[in-house]
């Protein structure tokens, strides 16, 4: 038997190569599963070259560190095969886990595949060794070395595709490098060398030893160069990603500013912490003043308590926060802000912090207040005018009745007069015209009064089962539908909303009545009411018919007071759709029409589901650009 030993310097060098290679492979392989755009195969290839080449280099340097007192050479073809085997198997394992993910089944296949490949590389490299002696292995120790290789490879793959920081990656690389080196030296411990002839020339052995050291340095240098280039590529890519993240963050901040918004963050418990330059800029508060719940001191006293309660409830419920309040500006004025905040989650799905935006809507609220005041003035004016018009109209109606009463006296007075019959006829026609005009004016005044009252009407909001409510509206018009040969269909399971019951019945009663009234007699009438979601806070109800349709030029005019479209062969005064539009707008909704002559009409009414300060939206990870 040959007494063997190791060169401590080369052993240390082999372990360093293994650690460096493991770190490089962890960094490159992790990018194949990260958010880096572009193809992933370059990163898998780089990780395979780094890991496979590094393990092969560690094995080669470890073999050169092996001192057995007799000359050794290496078969070039087997040595290259061992290198290609390490790179190929490592690349295959990386690719498998990259495609299948971190699932146990993927690691269960990829880990043993890489481990067996590493072990195969080691023993192929051992077979490439040419020495003047015999080589034998201990099966039990060989099995231990293979087990170490499989375990180390599985751990390497598991660590490679996990997200971790630099220090975690460095610790993982040290563990992986030491494990790979342990596998190598365990495999070497399984080998027993027996010299065929004794008395090897000392001088020749010394030359071989010196040659081995030089070769080890060349291999290590080349390996470190390859790994350095790989790390340089990784560093450049990291710099590119960082620049993209910075650009993305800059775009995000510019977008916030474009909508006159102020960005702020709170911790997971909902407390304002850290530097908040945006909040400080609008309020003038210092960090000491706004930290925790100090920000509420800048909120209007009438809004502060409601804001804190709504915010605390949202934090407890882990929902998206939507609210509105007034904030004291740096100059002491109060401005209106709309707030929206979402939770930013960590990898475990836990709330890391809250990211919110305050958007200045002062001008919008002032414009809305002016518009409301103008509408109220118009409504008051319409009420006053219509009320005052009724007084002279009553007089006209009274005197018309008086004239009608004296018609017999006039007829008697003109008895025998040659023009008596003509005068009586013209007198009657004039009275008829006056009465028709008075009745028409009475109807118009009543319509104006009705619309003005709707503007001042107080609504009683309640939760409405729209399916049951609209079926009741349709049942009330069943007689008209049967007379017109029409079928009214209400879709099942319509969404619930919160609104005034009577107003909603008036809206859809008018729409269904119009649909029945203006059906095409040449085909069976079909009226259908359906609904769809209109964003997280609204519902769009559609009343569709297959009637005569509305000309495109009249789509906007049908909502005007006293305006009608198409043939005037149906009774009506042109106030129904104007009334509907007024009611819909009073709910904060909108109404639209889509129609084609000869095909039919669809009226779409969008109504809010109900008032809320927070929405039950699913939590989604919203990492910041600084991650």
């Amino acid at each position: 038997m040959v007494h063997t030993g190791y060169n401590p310097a080369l052993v240390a060098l082999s372990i360093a190569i293994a650690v460096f290679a493991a770190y490089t492979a962890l960094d490159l392989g992790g990018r194949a599963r990260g958010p880096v755009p572009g193809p992933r195969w370059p990163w898998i290839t780089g990780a395979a070259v780094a890991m496979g080449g590094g393990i092969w280099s560690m094995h080669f340097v470890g073999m050169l560190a092996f001192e057995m007192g007799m000359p050794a050479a290496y078969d070039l073809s087997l040595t290259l095969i061992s290198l290609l085997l390490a790179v190929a198997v490592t690349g295959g394992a990386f690719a498998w886990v990259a495609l299948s993910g971190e699932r146990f089944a993927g690691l269960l296949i990829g880990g043993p595949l890489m481990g067996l490949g590493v072990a195969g590389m080691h023993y192929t490299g051992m077979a490439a060794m040419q020495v003047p002696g015999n080589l034998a292995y201990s099966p039990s120790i060989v099995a231990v070395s293979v087990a170490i290789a499989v375990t180390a490879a599985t751990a390497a793959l598991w660590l490679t595709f996990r997200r971790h920081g630099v220090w975690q990656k460095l610790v993982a690389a040290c563990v992986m490098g030491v494990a790979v080196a342990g596998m190598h030296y365990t495999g070497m411990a399984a080998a027993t060398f027996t010299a065929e002839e004794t008395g090897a020339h000392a001088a020749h052995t010394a030359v071989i030893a010196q040659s081995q050291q030089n070769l080890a340095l060349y291999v290590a240098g080349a390996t470190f160069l390859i790994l350095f280039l790989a790390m340089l590529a990784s560093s450049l890519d990291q710099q590119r990603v960082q620049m993209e993240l910075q650009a993305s963050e800059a775009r995000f901040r510019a977008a916030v500013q474009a909508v006159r918004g102020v960005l702020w963050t709170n911790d997971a418990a909902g407390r304002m912490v850290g530097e908040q330059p945006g909040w400080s800029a609008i309020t003038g508060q210092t960090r000491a003043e706004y930290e925790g719940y100090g920000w509420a001191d800048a909120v209007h006293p009438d809004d502060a308590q409601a804001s804190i309660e709504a915010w605390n409830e949202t934090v407890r419920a882990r929902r998206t926060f939507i609210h509105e309040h007034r904030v004291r500006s740096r100059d002491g004025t109060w401005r209106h802000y709309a707030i929206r905040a979402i939770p930013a989650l960590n990898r475990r799905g836990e709330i890391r912090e809250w990211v919110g935006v305050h958007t200045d809507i002062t001008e919008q609220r002032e414009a809305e207040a002016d518009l409301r005041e103008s509408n109220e003035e118009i409504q008051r004016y319409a009420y006053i005018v219509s009320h005052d018009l009724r007084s002279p109209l009553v007089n006209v109606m009274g005197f018309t009745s008086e004239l009608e009463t004296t018609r017999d006296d006039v007829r008697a007075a003109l008895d025998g007069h040659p023009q008596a019959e003509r005068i009586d006829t013209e007198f009657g026609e004039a009275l008829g015209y006056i009465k028709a005009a008075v009745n028409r004016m009475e109807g118009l005044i009543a319509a104006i009064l009705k619309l003005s009252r709707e503007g001042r009407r107080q609504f009683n909001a309640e939760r409405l089962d729209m399916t049951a409510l609209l079926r009741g509206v349709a049942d009330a018009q069943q007689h008209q539908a049967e007379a017109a040969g029409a079928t009214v269909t209400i879709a099942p399971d319509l969404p619930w909303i919160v609104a005034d019951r009577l107003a909603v019945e008036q809206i859809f009663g008018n729409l269904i009545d119009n649909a029945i009234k203006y059906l095409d007699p040449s085909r069976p009438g079909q009226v259908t009411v359906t609904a769809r979601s209109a964003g997280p806070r609204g519902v769009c109800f559609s009343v569709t018919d297959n009637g005569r349709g509305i000309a495109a030029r009249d789509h906007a005019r049908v909502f005007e007071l006293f305006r009608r479209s198409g043939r005037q062969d149906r009774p009506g005064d042109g106030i129904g759709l104007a009334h509907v539009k007024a009611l819909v707008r009073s709910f904060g909704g909108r109404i639209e029409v889509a129609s084609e002559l000869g095909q039919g009409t669809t009226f779409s009414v969008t109504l809010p589901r109900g008032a809320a300060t927070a929405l039950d939206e699913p939590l989604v990870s919203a990492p910041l650009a600084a991650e």
Side-chain angles (χ1 to χ4, degrees):
M1 293 184 57
V2 177
H3 296 285
T4 59
Y6 288 95
N7 183 325
L10 293 180
V11 170
L13 180 60
S14 68
I15 296 175
I17 291 174
V19 172
F20 195 12
Y23 184 89
T24 305
L26 286 172
D27 187 71
L28 297 177
R31 295 176 185 276
R33 292 277 292 172
V36 180
R40 303 184 185 276
W41 65 264
W43 301 111
I44 295 176
T45 302
V49 172
M51 181 69 84
I55 293 174
W56 176 85
S57 179
M58 185 237 69
H59 164 81
F60 197 89
V61 174
M63 292 297 298
L64 295 176
F66 186 57
E67 296 176 343
M68 54 185 171
M70 58 181 177
Y74 293 91
D75 181 82
L76 180 60
S77 60
L78 287 177
T79 302
L80 291 177
I81 289 175
S82 66
L83 172 60
L84 295 176
L85 181 64
V87 173
V89 174
T90 304
F94 275 131
W96 176 265
V97 178
L99 293 175
S100 61
E102 299 176 35
R103 295 190 299 272
F104 179 74
L107 294 174
L108 194 60
I109 295 176
L113 175 63
M114 180 184 285
L116 293 175
V118 170
M121 178 276 301
H122 172 79
Y123 289 107
T124 301
M126 292 287 289
M129 179 185 291
Q130 297 175 344
V131 295
N134 297 320
L135 174 62
Y137 291 100
S138 169
S140 59
I141 300 179
V142 169
V144 171
S145 69
V146 174
I148 293 175
V150 171
T151 303
T154 303
L157 291 177
W158 181 69
L159 292 171
T160 296
F161 295 104
R162 281 175 57 85
R163 295 181 181 177
H164 37 56
V166 175
W167 287 106
Q168 293 172 298
K169 193 184 300 181
L170 184 59
V171 171
C174 291
V175 172
M176 179 62 195
V178 172
V180 170
M183 174 268 160
H184 170 81
Y185 291 108
T186 301
M188 292 298 297
T192 301
F193 293 91
T194 304
E196 293 181 351
E197 50 185 61
T198 59
H201 301 289
H204 180 69
T205 301
V207 172
I208 291 296
Q210 183 63 39
S211 176
Q212 286 181 336
Q213 291 182 1
N214 292 336
L215 183 58
L217 292 176
Y218 296 151
V219 172
T223 302
F224 276 115
L225 178 61
I226 294 173
L227 296 179
F228 172 76
L229 293 176
M231 290 299 296
L232 180 61
S234 176
S235 176
L236 292 176
D237 181 72
Q238 181 66 30
Q239 185 178 12
R240 178 187 62 80
V241 172
Q242 187 66 28
M243 292 176 62
E244 290 181 354
L245 290 176
Q246 290 175 354
S248 176
E249 184 175 358
R251 285 193 297 270
F252 172 71
R253 293 185 181 276
V256 171
Q257 294 176 0
V259 295
R260 305 187 66 183
V262 174
L263 179 69
W264 50 266
T265 58
N266 282 9
D267 64 11
R271 299 182 296 266
M272 187 172 282
V273 295
E275 295 294 336
Q276 304 290 339
W279 181 258
S280 181
I282 65 171
T283 64
Q285 286 185 310
T286 64
R287 177 172 177 175
E289 290 174 332
Y290 62 65
E291 278 194 323
Y293 289 103
W295 56 265
D297 295 336
V299 178
H300 195 283
D302 295 341
D303 303 339
Q305 188 60 35
S307 297
I308 292 176
E309 292 176 356
W311 175 242
N312 289 337
E313 174 60 27
T314 300
V315 171
R316 284 192 296 268
R318 294 164 55 93
R319 299 181 296 191
T320 297
F321 181 68
I322 295 178
H323 196 61
E324 184 179 323
H325 59 210
R326 289 163 290 177
V327 176
R328 184 183 61 248
S329 300
R330 184 185 291 270
D331 59 5
T333 60
W334 297 99
R335 299 191 68 82
H336 288 260
Y337 285 90
I339 311 111
R340 183 179 180 90
I342 62 173
L345 310 181
N346 59 22
R347 291 187 297 272
R348 297 184 297 274
E350 301 168 345
I351 295 179
R352 184 191 60 204
E353 62 183 348
W354 291 81
V355 182
V357 174
H358 266 61
T359 303
D360 192 337
I361 58 171
T362 304
E363 284 75 13
Q364 176 184 339
R365 288 292 175 260
E366 291 175 349
E368 290 174 353
D370 292 341
L371 181 60
R372 283 195 299 270
E373 183 177 354
S374 299
N375 286 337
E376 290 173 359
E377 289 180 357
I378 293 173
Q379 291 166 5
R380 287 194 298 269
Y381 179 75
Y383 180 79
I384 292 171
V385 169
S386 59
H387 183 271
D388 290 347
L389 283 176
R390 273 196 159 182
S391 296
L393 186 63
V394 169
N395 290 331
V396 172
M397 293 174 66
F399 283 113
T400 302
S401 298
E402 288 289 335
L403 289 174
E404 196 169 32
T405 302
T406 60
R407 182 180 179 184
D408 291 337
D409 296 336
V410 173
R411 185 182 298 116
L414 293 175
D415 186 28
H417 192 281
Q419 301 294 327
E421 184 175 354
R422 179 185 62 78
I423 294 173
D424 183 66
T425 300
E426 291 179 354
F427 190 84
E429 290 179 352
L431 287 176
Y433 289 139
I434 294 173
K435 291 177 63 177
V438 167
N439 290 333
R440 177 64 177 167
M441 184 173 291
E442 171 68 15
L444 296 180
I445 292 174
I448 294 173
L449 280 173
K450 184 178 181 181
L451 290 179
S452 65
R453 291 191 186 104
E454 290 294 350
R456 303 190 308 273
R457 175 178 165 186
Q458 294 296 321
F459 294 110
N460 297 316
E462 60 179 294
R463 185 173 168 83
L464 301 178
D465 181 349
M466 291 300 291
T467 300
L469 185 148
L470 293 181
R471 283 177 177 168
V473 171
D475 289 343
Q477 301 188 36
Q478 184 66 30
H479 177 72
Q480 295 95 309
E482 290 178 351
T487 301
V488 179
T489 304
I490 308 298
D493 301 324
L494 295 176
W496 291 60
I497 64 171
V498 177
D500 182 87
R501 177 181 294 275
L502 178 59
V504 173
E505 288 176 345
Q506 289 175 334
I507 290 171
F508 290 98
N510 271 284
L511 294 178
I512 294 175
D513 179 67
N514 276 359
I516 295 173
K517 185 185 299 182
Y518 296 106
L519 288 171
D520 189 337
S522 65
R523 57 176 177 265
Q526 297 289 336
V527 181
T528 305
V529 181
T530 58
R532 58 179 174 82
S533 176
R537 305 186 67 180
V539 181
C540 181
F541 297 92
S542 297
V543 179
T544 303
D545 65 62
N546 63 341
R548 62 174 68 173
I550 302 172
R553 65 177 181 276
D554 292 330
H555 284 185
R557 291 188 289 183
V558 293
F559 297 108
E560 296 177 6
L561 190 61
F562 310 131
R563 294 295 295 269
R564 302 175 68 191
S565 67
R567 301 192 310 273
Q568 306 300 309
D569 57 348
R570 294 289 189 273
D573 49 20
I575 67 171
L577 288 178
H579 183 213
V580 167
K581 184 175 183 179
L583 288 174
V584 171
R585 291 182 63 180
S586 66
F587 286 147
R590 67 178 185 273
I591 182 169
E592 300 169 328
V593 61
S595 182
E596 185 177 348
L597 283 175
Q599 300 298 319
T601 303
T602 297
F603 284 95
S604 299
V605 178
T606 301
L607 299 174
R609 296 178 187 268
T613 57
L615 302 180
D616 291 318
E617 295 180 352
L619 288 179
V620 295
S621 180
L624 297 181
E627 278 195 321

